[in-house]
Amino acid sequence: VQAPAREKTLEFDTFIGMSGAYSISDHYIRETERGVEEMSPMKAACGHTKKQFNYFSPTVRLQSILDTYEYNHSSSELSSTSTSMSSESTYNTMPEILLLHGVDDDIVPFTSTADIGMLIKDCGIKYCKENYLTDTGHADLAMELMLGGTTQDLVMDWIENRSRTGKTRY
């Protein structure tokens, strides 16, 4: 009898998200409305079914973790003022996070980043920094990261600050 395959995981201490479509199902609906869903690389990269989209969606996976935690910890165990998970229970499993998104992004709305940012904080992750750049579109972030500009400055300052203040965990 062959043992079931284990899901492969990666361990990392830092995550920088730029203009992310963190809910694949929501993004697929947006692509369908724009008529580009069949040519989009998101469908092929994330499977072709809602189940696969959910599997690859950070928003869905984090919400599942939060729902499981809340289900396993009755309301009597949680204080009435805090419904989030304790940072102690999640700190060692989540990287430090920097999220960047252009407010003028017409491919992935900046609310995708705002939604995942709130969910990350609901899971008890205290070190999640969000930056929303005005007058910045979807591709602008990548171009500025490579060629210089506000995005590169923000990312480099964040990395340097982590090194200088010792915020890294490893």
Side-chain angles (χ1 to χ4, degrees):
V1 176
Q2 187 174 8
R6 279 185 23 165
E7 183 176 309
K8 293 182 181 182
T9 60
L10 298 173
E11 291 186 24
F12 49 94
D13 68 345
T14 304
F15 175 79
I16 299 173
M18 296 175 44
S19 300
Y22 299 108
S23 171
I24 307 305
S25 291
D26 288 352
H27 188 67
Y28 184 75
I29 291 167
R30 181 167 168 78
E31 289 182 334
T32 301
E33 290 168 351
R34 293 173 41 232
V36 298
E37 74 278 8
E38 292 304 321
M39 68 177 83
S40 170
M42 292 293 286
K43 184 176 178 181
C46 297
H48 297 275
T49 66
K50 185 168 176 84
K51 182 178 178 180
Q52 290 260 279
F53 290 170
N54 288 342
Y55 178 79
F56 288 107
S57 293
T59 302
V60 173
R61 296 188 75 170
L62 281 175
Q63 186 63 55
S64 175
I65 291 168
L66 187 59
D67 290 348
T68 300
Y69 178 85
E70 289 175 348
Y71 177 79
N72 290 332
H73 295 82
S74 68
S75 60
S76 64
E77 293 179 16
L78 291 173
S79 75
S80 60
T81 60
S82 173
T83 59
S84 68
M85 299 170 65
S86 72
S87 59
E88 185 68 31
S89 67
T90 55
Y91 183 76
N92 291 324
T93 61
M94 292 291 289
E96 294 178 30
I97 301 167
L98 173 64
L99 299 173
L100 304 168
H101 213 119
V103 175
D104 294 334
D105 190 332
D106 58 355
I107 306 298
V108 179
F110 74 91
T111 54
S112 176
T113 293
D115 291 346
I116 195 76
M118 283 190 299
L119 190 54
I120 288 167
K121 291 170 185 160
D122 285 348
C123 286
I125 304 303
K126 294 192 185 299
Y127 199 75
C128 174
K129 183 172 182 170
E130 299 170 55
N131 283 296
Y132 300 95
L133 292 82
T134 58
D135 302 319
T136 305
H138 189 72
D140 297 335
L141 288 175
M143 296 303 290
E144 286 184 4
L145 182 64
M146 293 184 294
L147 302 175
T150 304
T151 304
Q152 187 182 78
D153 294 343
L154 285 169
V155 169
M156 295 310 293
D157 288 348
W158 185 74
I159 292 169
E160 288 171 6
N161 185 52
R162 288 180 69 244
S163 298
R164 189 173 46 256
T165 61
K167 286 204 181 251
T168 60
R169 290 177 288 173
Y170 301 105

